[in-house]
Amino acid sequence: MGIRKRVWIFVIMLIIAVILNVGLFNTFNTGDNSGDPHAEAGILDLNSWDFNQNGSIHMDGIWSFYGGQLLGPETDWKDGSLEASYVSVPSSWNNYNHEPTVKDGLGYGTYRLIIQVPKDSGTLSIRVPNIMTAYKLWINGRLIAEAGRVDELPENNKAEQYPRVVSFEANDGIAELVIEVSNYKHRMGGIWTSFSLGTTQEITRQEILAVAEQMLIIGSLFIIGTYHMGLYAFRKRERFTLSFGLLCLCVAFRMGVTGETMLFQRFPGGSWELGMRIEYIAFSLCGVAGYAYIFRMFPQEGSKRTYWIFNTIGIALSVMTAVLPVLTYTRVVAAYQLYIVTVCATCLYVVIRAQIRKREGATLVLAGITFFIFTVINDILFYSEQHVSVQLVPFGITFFILVQSIILSNRFTNAMQHVELVSDELRELNANLEQRVELRTNELKKSNESLELSNIDLEKLEKSRRHLLSNISHDLRTPMTLVQGYLEAMRDGLIENKEQQQRHLNMMLGKLSRLNSLIDDLFELSKLEAGQVRFHFEHISVRSWLESVQFSFETDVERAGGVLQCIYNGVSLDGCEIYDTATAANRSDSPVIRIDIARMEQVMSNLIYNALRYLPDADSNEERRITIEVVEERGTVLIEVTDTGSGIDPEDLPYIFDRFYKKDKSRNSSEGGSGLGLSIVKEIIHQHWGLIEARNTVDEGASFLIRLPLAVPK
């Protein structure tokens, strides 16, 4: 099969993959909604709308608005002194030309909407979008949601945003929404994305799909970004991998603070201003990394001068974002957008030139970048309220990443073929020269052996890459496949009992929690390996620390039918007494170590609970014992955790601390775990300037030996 034909087959496969991604996870509706009910004069009449049959509905239309007034639900709306204007929702205040109180998107006001639904509708839910930049929401006089601090004075206003789902009872057929909104931080204020109203099941389903989609894409971007940066660390000649890795990370960070705002959901106490700076800085750096990637891929078609110009502008915009107030740099968003559009146009021009000159990989890059640029322009128009659409950048970057993966695989294949060809040529040359030049023959043999070793190293690297991606793909795909199955069963009406529905919802949340735990473990391991985790070291006596370990885990081990024995310098601890930090540090009966107590407790928890899983069955007559023995030796302390379990296979010992290594007796993680447990343990021990190793005798138990330095006396 020719190379060009294979390229087009790859492109078609990528398009199918993106379509499947959109079809499985998207939560937007691109159909014709012109026949749906719309709010008119502050009233949304849904008496004829069947939520169970027709699904959810956007609460778009004409709402009542009281500019320059903060009116709570106790307000007498029939008071003649209150004059409401009618505004289009969704739409930012910047479009309210007849409302001078919210001029240029700044100010405060109150929205009001009366929703009429069929009586005895039961519990309904509303998906509240990001509202700029602070709000309070009442439904039927009850405060049901708020974000930030709403106030008339700019100095008292506090910005905050992330979408949420709220529920309310609508048995009487009327729901009154009152929303106070204030904005003094952002260039665009008010409600400029749609509310969604529907049954709790439908709105929750949409929210789960939206979160799952964003978590999947953000997690993939982080993994692939760090993977490409790792490739650059091992092969610095392929400089485009570094730029591509940075591009993936920039897009991931920007996605984390937009849309479902996963970073704010994960860290609810995070600063809104910091999130906005991350969004705009990541947006600027996307231009820097994007053109750097294209320039490194096709240096003969690109311009080094243009490269430095784009770098200078992108970094200048990032610095401006970091030092200026949010309101200032958001008002010049056109400068950011013009910069990105210019970078995209230049990249497209470079790739087209490379395609004309038939450069390697130009066809795939052209297909990927064309689609990605289309999604970028679409999102710019979306945020500028100049084009009604949906955000497509996540799907554009997904397609672009798949293209890059094919290019990388193709380069590895070509490199291996080249090595094999050179190896064959050297063998032939060696055979021909053997009769004429005996000395040169020996040199050629050595060269041949060196090339074969290089070939083996490349195969090991490729095998490791496939193993890593296969495990990550499996751990990410499995919970999402199960969640999809549950959702399809609920959609098709196979599960009508409310208890079964609640049970399946709990199972889905459990699967998503496992997926979140995997991403958290990967994130924690990456930060540990990069030295970005802050450790809180404390001085504590060795004996006191051992007593605290026994106190923390003795009950759990006994509950599991085992025995936890702690031995200090050959003497068993029959009982323990817990000391505070100051007392523990000043004890004179044992030397002192300098550790992060919480992190070391995480290490012992992993080792002890792993040991519990491999102890003999409770109904057997075999001993179920876990022993922690601490011995001081030449300026160090040795901590040995042993058990009477089944031990570890010798073939697993060299790989037991590798990430994602999960064999039956490898003990790297619990059943169904991520395979990162012992990898995290190893990194924590290394951060304590220590060493850890595993030993065992098969069928007689396993042993983990930790060596830590003693603290220098004060």
XYZ file of all heavy atoms in Angstrom, residues 123-158:
287
model
N -40.500 17.796 40.939
C -39.203 18.451 41.066
C -38.595 18.677 39.688
O -38.461 17.742 38.903
C -38.235 17.611 41.917
O -38.818 17.408 43.205
C -36.899 18.320 42.066
N -38.248 19.929 39.404
C -37.551 20.282 38.160
C -36.174 20.836 38.522
O -35.925 21.219 39.660
C -38.349 21.320 37.369
C -39.735 20.882 36.875
C -40.433 22.042 36.175
C -39.637 19.688 35.933
N -35.302 20.859 37.532
C -33.942 21.350 37.753
C -33.566 22.356 36.686
O -34.055 22.301 35.551
C -32.926 20.198 37.754
O -33.120 19.350 38.853
N -32.710 23.284 37.083
C -32.196 24.310 36.177
C -30.678 24.225 36.183
O -30.058 24.156 37.250
C -32.644 25.723 36.594
C -34.162 25.864 36.483
C -31.956 26.791 35.738
C -34.690 27.202 36.955
N -30.100 24.216 34.995
C -28.644 24.325 34.898
C -28.298 25.805 34.766
O -28.614 26.445 33.766
C -28.097 23.550 33.708
C -26.563 23.581 33.657
C -26.031 22.896 32.406
N -24.574 22.838 32.420
C -23.775 23.829 32.036
N -24.308 24.962 31.598
N -22.465 23.707 32.073
N -27.671 26.342 35.814
C -27.302 27.759 35.847
C -25.924 27.911 35.204
O -24.954 27.294 35.658
C -27.286 28.294 37.294
C -26.971 29.783 37.303
C -28.623 28.024 37.972
N -25.785 28.712 34.149
C -24.479 28.863 33.489
C -23.587 29.838 34.249
O -23.938 30.331 35.327
C -24.860 29.420 32.113
C -26.078 30.249 32.398
C -26.826 29.524 33.497
N -22.421 30.121 33.680
C -21.541 31.155 34.231
C -22.177 32.520 34.010
O -22.462 32.901 32.875
C -20.164 31.112 33.548
C -19.417 29.835 33.864
O -19.549 29.301 34.953
N -18.649 29.350 32.908
N -22.412 33.256 35.099
C -23.006 34.587 35.034
C -21.937 35.579 35.456
O -21.293 35.419 36.489
C -24.242 34.687 35.950
C -25.307 33.666 35.524
C -24.814 36.103 35.913
C -26.525 33.644 36.412
N -21.740 36.596 34.663
C -20.682 37.563 34.926
C -21.174 38.709 35.808
O -22.109 39.416 35.414
C -20.131 38.125 33.608
C -19.338 37.112 32.804
S -17.858 36.585 33.679
C -17.158 35.445 32.487
N -20.536 38.964 36.964
C -19.526 38.094 37.512
C -19.899 37.657 38.930
O -19.130 36.957 39.576
C -18.156 38.813 37.567
O -18.339 40.059 38.280
C -17.578 39.055 36.231
N -21.054 38.108 39.444
C -21.551 37.694 40.752
C -23.073 37.732 40.701
O -23.661 38.589 40.023
C -21.022 38.604 41.864
N -23.711 36.797 41.401
C -25.174 36.766 41.340
C -25.753 36.081 42.568
O -25.067 35.346 43.291
C -25.646 36.046 40.072
C -25.405 34.559 40.082
C -26.351 33.666 40.579
C -24.214 34.029 39.594
C -26.130 32.311 40.589
C -23.975 32.674 39.601
C -24.948 31.807 40.097
O -24.721 30.459 40.105
N -27.055 36.348 42.791
C -27.876 35.626 43.750
C -29.147 35.196 43.033
O -29.760 35.998 42.314
C -28.233 36.506 44.954
C -27.110 36.707 45.950
C -27.622 37.469 47.173
C -26.527 37.615 48.224
N -27.036 38.343 49.416
N -29.560 33.940 43.240
C -30.715 33.392 42.529
C -31.741 32.907 43.547
O -31.430 32.087 44.415
C -30.269 32.233 41.623
C -31.379 31.351 41.033
C -32.293 32.171 40.129
C -30.786 30.176 40.271
N -32.956 33.465 43.441
C -34.087 33.007 44.242
C -35.101 32.321 43.335
O -35.334 32.755 42.192
C -34.781 34.168 44.934
C -34.009 34.816 46.045
C -34.024 34.484 47.359
C -33.113 35.949 45.935
N -33.201 35.311 48.088
C -32.626 36.229 47.240
C -32.678 36.722 44.871
C -31.746 37.252 47.493
C -31.788 37.746 45.124
C -31.325 38.010 46.418
N -35.706 31.256 43.817
C -36.824 30.615 43.130
C -37.965 30.501 44.124
O -37.818 29.877 45.185
C -36.448 29.230 42.579
C -35.311 29.349 41.558
C -37.650 28.549 41.942
C -34.893 28.026 40.956
N -39.061 31.152 43.780
C -40.244 31.192 44.650
C -39.883 31.684 46.053
O -40.316 31.142 47.073
C -40.898 29.809 44.735
C -41.552 29.411 43.433
O -41.961 30.265 42.644
N -41.636 28.105 43.184
N -39.046 32.712 46.092
C -38.699 33.356 47.345
C -37.621 32.675 48.143
O -37.234 33.171 49.206
N -37.089 31.567 47.674
C -36.048 30.842 48.406
C -34.705 31.025 47.710
O -34.584 30.768 46.515
C -36.395 29.354 48.484
C -35.420 28.546 49.335
C -36.010 27.176 49.655
N -36.159 26.370 48.463
C -35.248 25.478 48.047
N -34.140 25.309 48.748
N -35.460 24.774 46.963
N -33.713 31.492 48.493
C -32.370 31.644 47.937
C -31.810 30.260 47.653
O -31.588 29.465 48.553
C -31.462 32.386 48.926
C -30.013 32.613 48.449
C -29.986 33.483 47.202
C -29.183 33.245 49.568
N -31.538 29.976 46.376
C -31.172 28.619 45.980
C -29.766 28.515 45.423
O -29.197 27.434 45.347
C -32.208 28.092 44.957
C -32.203 26.566 44.936
C -31.960 28.657 43.574
C -33.400 25.982 44.223
N -29.175 29.643 45.018
C -27.799 29.605 44.496
C -27.223 31.008 44.527
O -27.943 32.005 44.380
C -27.754 29.049 43.074
N -25.908 31.085 44.729
C -25.219 32.365 44.642
C -23.751 32.129 44.339
O -23.204 31.057 44.615
C -25.376 33.163 45.938
C -24.772 32.504 47.166
C -24.928 33.372 48.412
O -24.890 34.622 48.280
O -25.088 32.805 49.497
N -23.149 33.111 43.736
C -21.721 33.043 43.408
C -21.125 34.429 43.614
O -21.677 35.434 43.155
C -21.497 32.575 41.972
N -19.991 34.491 44.312
C -19.355 35.771 44.571
C -20.152 36.601 45.563
O -20.948 36.102 46.367
N -19.955 37.927 45.496
C -20.672 38.850 46.362
C -21.280 39.949 45.512
O -20.580 40.693 44.827
C -19.735 39.461 47.410
C -20.466 40.355 48.428
C -19.501 41.087 49.355
N -18.641 40.164 50.074
C -17.336 40.151 49.965
N -16.727 41.034 49.159
N -16.593 39.284 50.631
N -22.592 40.045 45.531
C -23.318 41.065 44.782
C -23.402 42.323 45.622
O -23.815 42.277 46.791
C -24.730 40.564 44.406
C -25.479 41.643 43.646
C -24.641 39.289 43.594
N -23.007 43.454 45.034
C -23.055 44.705 45.780
C -23.104 45.866 44.799
O -22.654 45.757 43.657
C -21.834 44.848 46.690
C -22.063 45.851 47.807
O -21.852 47.053 47.553
O -22.474 45.430 48.898
N -23.655 46.968 45.286
C -23.735 48.160 44.445
C -22.390 48.845 44.289
O -22.150 49.512 43.284
C -24.755 49.131 45.045
C -26.160 48.558 45.150
C -27.126 49.503 45.863
O -26.662 50.556 46.355
O -28.318 49.186 45.916
N -21.532 48.696 45.284
C -20.233 49.366 45.257
C -19.189 48.454 44.618
O -19.094 47.271 44.956
C -19.797 49.729 46.671
C -20.736 50.677 47.428
C -20.230 50.896 48.842
C -20.869 52.010 46.687
N -18.383 48.998 43.705
C -17.362 48.157 43.044
C -16.385 47.531 44.024
O -15.979 46.384 43.846
C -16.661 49.135 42.091
C -17.655 50.230 41.868
C -18.434 50.351 43.141
N -16.012 48.279 45.085
C -15.015 47.733 45.997
C -15.545 46.575 46.833
O -14.753 45.773 47.371
C -14.478 48.829 46.916
C -15.553 49.530 47.753
C -16.116 50.763 47.047
O -15.980 50.806 45.812
O -16.677 51.646 47.721
N -16.865 46.464 46.964
C -17.450 45.371 47.737
C -17.838 44.183 46.870
O -18.221 43.133 47.378
C -18.684 45.856 48.502
C -18.320 46.892 49.551
O -17.195 46.914 50.048
N -19.266 47.754 49.890
N -17.777 44.353 45.578
C -18.178 43.287 44.667
C -17.067 42.228 44.582
O -15.889 42.547 44.461
C -18.440 43.862 43.276
C -19.019 42.829 42.336
O -20.187 42.502 42.395
N -18.171 42.293 41.462
N -17.447 40.958 44.669
C -16.502 39.848 44.540
C -16.941 38.944 43.402
O -18.083 38.488 43.376
C -16.425 39.051 45.845
C -15.452 37.882 45.775
C -15.445 37.091 47.064
C -14.502 35.888 46.960
N -14.524 35.062 48.197
